[in-house]
Amino acid sequence: SQLATGTGIAPFRSFLWKMFFEQHEDYKFNGLAWLFLGVPTSDTLLYKEEFEKMVEIGGENFRLDFAVSREQTNAAGEKMYIQTRMAEYKEELWELLKKDNTYVYMCGLKGMEKGIDDIMVDLAAKDGIDWIDYKKQLKKAEQWNVEVY
């Protein structure tokens, strides 16, 4: 999973470009890349057409979700931030996070991480897991990578 706000998308763009646009004889990406991109307004969605083209090329290997905070709301009428959008898929995301081949890259605004922690605490607890401890394990295994400011 890749989570980015605004210009935090830059490092992920190169990962995704390599996965879906570059042709390599000895490598074809066959996992799942899932990008959650959050911006304030739809006219600030960087690389939108490029990412949509990746969806076409990637098929089931690429999922794309936008969170446009000043234009979208969830069912409860709350502003649509990355963590709000992720909450719509929280059970599926938790199942992915329990796999040892899931890697999360988060880059952007600091508030995003707390929002995601808030979602995961309850999900992990249902499985008898302390989310904060589990997240530390993910970090140690280099599966949870965060660059927030």
Side-chain angles (χ1 to χ4, degrees), residues 39-53:
V39 292
T41 58
S42 53
D43 62 348
T44 57
L45 272 170
L46 301 170
Y47 315 115
K48 181 177 188 283
E49 294 79 15
E50 192 174 293
F51 293 136
E52 288 171 343
K53 183 70 175 170

Side-chain angles (χ1 to χ4, degrees), residues 25-37:
E25 287 179 24
D26 58 344
Y27 173 78
K28 180 181 181 335
F29 178 71
N30 62 6
L32 169 63
W34 193 344
L35 173 64
F36 289 87
L37 175 58

Side-chain angles (χ1 to χ4, degrees), residues 97-108:
L97 281 171
K98 291 191 287 185
K99 296 180 177 183
D100 62 5
N101 64 347
T102 295
Y103 292 82
V104 174
Y105 299 92
M106 182 185 316
C107 187

Side-chain angles (χ1 to χ4, degrees), residues 4-106:
T5 55
T7 54
I9 193 57
F12 305 135
R13 183 177 176 228
S14 60
F15 290 158
L16 294 169
W17 190 275
K18 190 169 191 73
M19 290 175 191
F20 299 110
F21 286 154
E22 292 181 10
Q23 299 298 316
H24 302 279
E25 287 179 24
D26 58 344
Y27 173 78
K28 180 181 181 335
F29 178 71
N30 62 6
L32 169 63
W34 193 344
L35 173 64
F36 289 87
L37 175 58
V39 292
T41 58
S42 53
D43 62 348
T44 57
L45 272 170
L46 301 170
Y47 315 115
K48 181 177 188 283
E49 294 79 15
E50 192 174 293
F51 293 136
E52 288 171 343
K53 183 70 175 170
M54 289 175 188
V55 169
E56 287 177 34
I57 292 169
E60 293 181 2
N61 297 104
F62 185 51
R63 289 174 69 172
L64 174 65
D65 280 281
F66 295 125
V68 185
S69 61
R70 294 187 190 155
E71 297 173 14
Q72 298 174 329
T73 56
N74 66 5
E78 300 165 323
K79 284 187 176 186
M80 187 61 71
Y81 297 110
I82 284 180
Q83 60 269 28
T84 321
R85 180 65 73 200
M86 290 177 69
E88 295 177 343
Y89 304 100
K90 62 187 180 185
E91 287 86 5
E92 187 175 0
L93 291 169
W94 174 239
E95 290 304 314
L96 289 171
L97 281 171
K98 291 191 287 185
K99 296 180 177 183
D100 62 5
N101 64 347
T102 295
Y103 292 82
V104 174
Y105 299 92
M106 182 185 316

